[in-house]
Amino acid sequence: MEKVDRTVADPVIGRLLDGRYRVGPRIARGGMATVYEATDQRLDRVCALKIMHNGLGDDDDFAMRFVREARAAARLSHPNVVGVYDQGDDDGTLFLAMEYVPGRTLRDLVRSDAPLPPARALALLDPLLSALAAAHAAGMIHRDVKPENVLLGDDGGVKVADFGLARAVSAETQHTTGGVLIGTVSYLAPELVVDGTADARCDVYAAGVVLYELLTGRKPHEGESPINVAWKHVHEDVPPPSDLVPGLPPYVDALVARATARDRELRPADARVLLHQVRRVRAALDHGIVDDPELTADLTPTVVVPHDPWDDIDYIREDPPTILTTAQAAGRGEDTSVIDRQPVPLSASRAGASRPVPPPRRTKRGPILLAVVLVLAVLAGLAGWWFGAGRYETTPGVINMTRAAAEEKVHAAGLGFEVTGSSYSETVPVGYVVSTDPGGGDRILRDGTVEALVSKGPERHDVPAVRGMTLDQAQDALQRSRLVYGHATYRFDARVAKGVVLASSPKAGTALKRGAAVDLVVSRGPRPIEIRDFTGKDADVAQGWFDKRGFEVDRSEENSDTVAAGRVISQTPHDGNGFKGDTVRLVVSKGPVLVEVPKVVGMGTQDAVSTLQGAGFQVDTQQADLYVGLQYVVRQSPGAGEKAPRGSTITIQIV
């Protein structure tokens, strides 16, 4: 799948599929389907909707296979596999509803960060192989392993996508359907190109190519066309990554070579076996081992070519040889057993056929030579026996015996015994022999010494205390403790900052096997609180609402000609989400500004109006009951000296 422009118009966006899934923006687009972000309105959750391209739903065979494979993928439950929730057909539109993983793909990381250090590359390959191993154990193969189908979640998790086009494998169904070659050409195993056969080792090959790309930042085979690339997969080995990145340990090159062997019989049988080899290499890297010849030899694919006896013959001649008599040979200074390979002319041979050949003379040299040959053969046999098996003993088997018992048994066989170290074992008790060199039943020189390792018991590592660490720090701590990160669960916490680890499962101090997964609980920070807008509402009610939810209220007052006293003039912020401890500012009205009313009784009408308007009031002029036309003010309301809101109306009566 490739990323797409999420802004381009698409008629699918906005549709409601199966009466349930509201299609949102596009996420990615591939050769057979497009992936959209969608909302499952029934369960109110975000999911990824993979919608097959138009026309595929009209193919009944494809539709049936799509349903079968969707069901098979839904049965695959693993922390590193994108979950399949649902499958449907909306009037010919085939779709899969899958887990939505926010983040980026491994392709994005390759583009931005590759080449990666080998430790980091293998750490990314580990969860990919874990997912494939689960699929292979369930009888499924992926067939399209590539960086685009490996999702790196924002929570640090790694998940493999696109198992919806994987296929359940049986003894009868190990070929692609209808001759269609499914997969991306840069990651196709040679046998898929040659005859279309597919098994778990195809995924192993693709994973090896992904590892090469992580280590070098480039694909191993490139060409002008897909056919050219496919040809190289069949006819050319994947080159060692160290050709592009000098300094890589030889066992890393050997690991890539083993996974990408063109002969699938030389590859690991499935992802579980490759995962075991990857973890051996990771352990060597963790211990700072630059070169491990034994590990390199174990990983290097070895082709055993059977001996062809014809290879020992320089040439074959069909011409008849000339057999010399004893006398003729003696005359030439040669032994009587010599056969001349020079061809005899046809005329000479015919001529010779008409003359009898005299019988060879008997000599005493023959028996003497025979006796010498027999003596030499006996001596050679004795020498061969001595240098082959005669000087060797068979190493006695002492595995799972106490050190004392093993030493006694080895000494009884006439051999020396030395304990050279110890190693962990899940099956051999502490202090008992866990392995020997040579191993039981192997050959050892007479008077040789058997070197033994005694068991330290099961390898266990305590879960580190990761509470209070960031997620990255916690993952580093788990790696240092020889454990692996499982997955993260997020929850709100008012006292712990977002992204900080709250707890681990199992808890700190629990002893686990090497490589066991530890899940983490990570804080999402304080729970957000939706802020209500109290503008124009009673300020005391607003104060109580914010106090109850833990907000700090910064309250101030000011006059307002439009908002009644005691009500909120403005609020900051007035919407959105906030958190406990955040500050909300309320501006509360004191009502309008009050102005002292000037005395205008006894003034002329015009002077009274000018005086009141100058003080900021409106004026309402009325005639008194005994109006005589003098135009003098005889009464005012409110009265002189009283206070009234600025802009309010003062009523005056004139006579």
Side-chain angles (χ1 to χ4, degrees), residues 459-638:
E459 181 178 7
R460 295 293 182 267
H461 299 277
D462 291 341
V463 176
V466 295
R467 179 180 174 84
M469 297 182 181
T470 65
L471 185 58
D472 287 344
Q473 291 170 340
Q475 292 184 39
D476 290 342
L478 290 173
Q479 186 175 7
R480 289 194 297 270
S481 298
R482 303 294 187 265
L483 302 172
V484 300
Y485 164 66
H487 70 274
T489 302
Y490 291 83
R491 74 180 189 202
F492 293 110
D493 192 294
R495 295 172 297 176
V496 180
K498 181 179 179 180
V500 174
V501 175
L502 298 171
S504 65
S505 178
K507 65 181 180 180
T510 304
L512 299 177
K513 291 182 180 180
R514 181 190 182 103
V518 178
D519 299 332
L520 302 177
V521 180
V522 182
S523 173
R524 298 180 66 179
R527 182 182 296 275
I529 304 170
E530 186 176 359
I531 295 175
R532 285 182 55 185
D533 186 5
F534 285 93
T535 302
K537 306 292 177 54
D538 187 282
D540 291 336
V541 173
Q543 176 91 41
W545 190 91
F546 286 114
D547 287 344
K548 183 178 180 180
R549 286 157 180 78
F551 287 94
E552 298 291 333
V553 178
D554 180 7
R555 181 168 174 169
S556 61
E557 295 182 339
E558 64 181 44
N559 294 105
S560 174
D561 294 336
T562 58
V563 179
R567 294 187 175 272
V568 177
I569 299 173
S570 65
Q571 171 186 316
T572 306
H574 61 84
D575 60 7
N577 291 325
F579 297 93
K580 190 175 181 179
D582 287 355
T583 299
V584 177
R585 292 177 175 80
L586 298 178
V587 178
V588 182
S589 174
K590 295 192 298 183
V593 177
L594 297 179
V595 179
E596 184 176 345
V597 180
K599 179 180 179 182
V600 294
V601 174
M603 291 184 179
T605 301
Q606 290 185 350
D607 291 339
V609 170
S610 297
T611 300
L612 291 172
Q613 289 178 341
F617 295 105
Q618 301 293 326
V619 181
D620 179 18
T621 303
Q622 299 179 357
Q623 294 180 352
D625 294 337
L626 298 175
Y627 177 73
V628 294
L630 296 177
Q631 297 295 313
Y632 279 96
V633 178
V634 295
R635 189 176 292 110
Q636 68 180 68
S637 178

Side-chain angles (χ1 to χ4, degrees), residues 5 11 17 24 30-31 41 59 78 143-144 156 173 184 284 398-399 406 422 452-454 481 522 542 574 632 640 642:
D5 186 351
L17 295 185
Q41 296 189 338
D59 184 339
H78 189 273
R143 295 196 300 184
D144 198 15
T173 58
T184 304
V398 294
I399 304 301
S422 59
L453 295 177
V454 296
S481 298
V522 182
H574 61 84
Y632 279 96
E642 295 182 20

Side-chain angles (χ1 to χ4, degrees), residues 31-32 56 59 61-62 65 69 143 165 167 174-184 188 191-193 195-198:
M32 302 179 69
L56 292 179
D59 184 339
D61 291 339
F62 177 86
R65 184 166 62 88
E69 294 172 357
R143 295 196 300 184
L165 289 180
R167 180 171 184 176
Q174 290 190 350
H175 291 72
T176 55
T177 301
V180 178
L181 193 61
I182 296 178
T184 304
L188 284 181
E191 61 269 20
L192 275 174
V193 178
D195 56 19
T197 56

Side-chain angles (χ1 to χ4, degrees), residues 112-419:
S112 62
D113 294 1
L116 302 178
R120 188 180 179 197
L122 293 175
L124 289 167
L125 194 69
D126 192 297
L128 165 60
L129 292 176
S130 295
L132 293 176
H136 294 168
M140 296 174 60
I141 53 176
H142 190 290
R143 295 196 300 184
D144 198 15
V145 176
K146 56 184 177 180
E148 287 83 352
N149 285 334
V150 181
L151 308 182
L152 310 179
D154 291 336
D155 60 357
V158 178
K159 289 182 180 284
V160 181
D162 231 0
F163 272 98
L165 289 180
R167 180 171 184 176
V169 178
S170 68
E172 294 78 20
T173 58
Q174 290 190 350
H175 291 72
T176 55
T177 301
V180 178
L181 193 61
I182 296 178
T184 304
V185 68
S186 294
Y187 307 90
L188 284 181
E191 61 269 20
L192 275 174
V193 178
V194 173
D195 56 19
T197 56
D199 62 12
R201 290 168 292 186
C202 294
D203 288 347
V204 168
Y205 184 90
V209 175
V210 171
L211 176 57
Y212 179 92
E213 201 168 352
L214 291 173
L215 292 169
T216 65
R218 295 176 56 182
K219 296 173 182 175
H221 297 314
E222 296 178 343
E224 297 179 355
S225 67
I227 293 177
N228 184 251
V229 175
W231 187 92
K232 289 185 178 181
H233 280 291
V234 176
H235 297 283
E236 296 181 8
D237 291 331
V238 170
S242 60
D243 287 354
L244 294 178
V245 185
L248 289 177
Y251 51 79
V252 173
D253 281 346
L255 177 65
V256 173
R258 187 63 173 270
T260 59
R262 285 186 288 153
D263 183 353
R264 62 179 168 185
E265 298 298 331
L266 301 178
R267 287 180 226 144
D270 56 26
R272 180 189 61 80
V273 178
L274 180 57
L275 178 61
H276 172 72
Q277 295 171 350
V278 164
R279 288 176 175 171
R280 287 184 63 192
V281 172
R282 291 185 66 185
L285 291 170
D286 289 345
H287 287 89
I289 299 174
V290 177
D291 190 8
D292 187 336
E294 181 178 353
L295 177 58
T296 303
D298 288 346
L299 293 175
T300 301
T302 303
V303 181
V304 179
V305 180
H307 176 69
D308 186 349
W310 293 104
D311 291 342
D312 296 335
I313 300 176
D314 292 333
Y315 60 89
I316 301 173
R317 299 187 60 164
E318 296 180 353
D319 300 321
T322 299
I323 303 177
L324 302 180
T325 65
T326 304
Q328 290 170 330
R332 294 175 56 165
E334 299 175 355
D335 186 79
T336 57
S337 62
V338 173
I339 298 176
D340 187 358
R341 289 185 177 269
Q342 294 298 324
V344 177
L346 183 60
S347 59
S349 64
R350 288 177 178 172
S354 62
R355 298 193 301 269
V357 178
R361 292 182 301 170
R362 296 182 178 272
T363 67
K364 295 182 179 180
R365 295 175 60 188
I368 296 173
L369 289 174
L370 178 61
V372 171
V373 170
L374 291 175
V375 170
L376 291 176
V378 170
L379 293 176
L382 290 174
W385 173 82
W386 172 253
F387 288 103
R391 59 176 179 160
Y392 289 98
E393 292 280 358
T394 299
T395 306
V398 294
I399 304 301
N400 219 3
M401 296 177 63
T402 65
R403 174 174 178 169
E407 186 171 6
E408 181 179 354
K409 185 174 181 179
V410 172
H411 285 165
L415 301 170
F417 182 84
E418 180 182 358
V419 175

